[in-house]
Amino acid sequence: MKRPAVGSACWTGYVEGAVPMSFSEMAAKGSRARAAVVGVDGTAEGERAIRWAAHDAARLGRPLHLLHVCAGPTLVYPPPGLSLPVAGAPRPTTHAARLITDAAVLARQVCAGLDITGETIGGRPIPILLAASEHAATVVVGRRGMGEVGAVVAGSTAVDLAEHAACPVVVVRERRGVGGPNQGRVVVGVDGTAASEAAVAFAVEQAAVRGAGLTAVHAYQLPVDPALGGTLPGYFDLGARSQAAQRLLSEAMSGWRERCPEVDLRLHVELGGPVGALKRASTGAELLVVGTGGRGTLRGLLLGSVSRAMVHHAPCPVAVVRPRTPRAR
């Protein structure tokens, strides 16, 4: 079944620095056009997302697609004598075009040679971004923006976008904390599932193109026996559990050492909860990468609560990656 339209393009005129083009037109160009799509909303958080996406597109040789969603309509109050407000346009098209122009200028400051296209669409941001993700390399959004895109992807809805998109979603936020154990490195959560494998592949690529090191983190917890008041069963072997966790992480990353010997790979195994382990490991990091099965199908380290917590509380930009699968039409 063909997917219904999720919005209407409202591009008006030529915008300096970006070619007016809808994402469907880009997708029709073929695999070469698999772009980094970034949500544009005019906020400081949105500007951080544009810079991040522009750097990423430049490193990987991808086009950059600037997407502004006009959510609305707004209410316009009539002159005295009329009692009810009337629906007005979501935003003046000249203002939407200006946002794309400014975003293109910002992206050009990052890399003058970027292949940049831009589009404004009227509708609801999340369905539009999800539709764009089906043909994108990545979707990049800012955290806690107050404009159309930023306001909608803030909070729990950012998790919905990250967990259901057909491509990796990067949520860019201002870094908090410096001098952590992985300063300037890429950090990835590993639990041995298929979702974890997709996250590792993304993280290795990011580390390689940045010339950065990669730290793979695996957190494990010890079983407890409710019948014993929540204490460990007497027969439990602490050493064996630690060795099993280290073996899982080593085996998960062994092939990557051979394929990408230029990436400085560190393995970190920690006893405790995954949320705390990933927050500590990613302090000062360039990027945190976690996996998700999407649609609530999550396991092990990459439980829904973990990916949600990282989107909300990671001290650095976070990429949520799910295995790419064809979507029904």
Side-chain angles (χ1 to χ4, degrees), residues 81-94:
L82 297 177
S83 58
L84 295 176
V86 295
R91 269 192 174 186
T93 55
T94 53

Side-chain angles (χ1 to χ4, degrees), residues 60-241:
L60 293 166
R62 290 171 177 159
L64 178 67
H65 190 67
L66 308 171
L67 179 59
H68 172 67
V69 180
C70 299
T74 58
L75 294 179
V76 179
Y77 287 86
L82 297 177
S83 58
L84 295 176
V86 295
R91 269 192 174 186
T93 55
T94 53
H95 180 68
R98 174 53 57 186
L99 287 178
I100 296 292
T101 298
D102 292 345
V105 170
L106 186 60
R108 292 272 183 231
Q109 292 173 356
V110 173
C111 178
L114 272 180
D115 178 7
I116 301 176
T117 54
E119 180 182 17
T120 61
I121 299 179
R124 293 182 296 139
I126 295 304
I128 289 171
L129 289 169
L130 289 177
S133 76
E134 297 188 15
H135 303 287
T138 55
V139 171
V140 184
V141 293
R143 179 72 170 88
R144 296 189 184 278
M146 296 304 294
E148 282 79 3
V149 174
V152 176
V153 300
S156 61
T157 311
V159 178
D160 294 335
L161 174 63
E163 290 186 352
H164 297 285
C167 70
V169 172
V170 180
V171 180
V172 181
R173 64 185 309 156
E174 189 174 9
R175 289 186 179 85
R176 301 194 307 271
V178 294
N182 296 300
Q183 180 81 29
R185 298 173 66 85
V186 175
V187 176
V188 60
V190 179
D191 74 345
T193 65
S196 175
E197 292 173 2
V200 169
F202 184 89
V204 169
E205 180 182 55
Q206 285 290 320
V209 298
R210 292 166 181 268
L214 174 65
T215 300
V217 177
H218 175 66
Y220 71 100
Q221 295 173 290
L222 302 179
V224 296
D225 189 341
L228 299 176
T231 60
L232 286 172
Y235 56 82
F236 188 78
D237 189 336
L238 297 176
R241 186 56 181 259

Side-chain angles (χ1 to χ4, degrees), residues 215-266:
T215 300
V217 177
H218 175 66
Y220 71 100
Q221 295 173 290
L222 302 179
V224 296
D225 189 341
L228 299 176
T231 60
L232 286 172
Y235 56 82
F236 188 78
D237 189 336
L238 297 176
R241 186 56 181 259
S242 174
Q243 292 173 8
Q246 294 177 25
R247 183 166 56 252
L248 181 151
L249 183 58
S250 179
E251 292 176 353
M253 302 303 298
S254 61
W256 292 107
R257 286 189 184 277
E258 299 171 2
R259 278 178 276 181
C260 300
E262 72 279 10
V263 174
D264 174 30
L265 177 61
R266 298 178 188 170

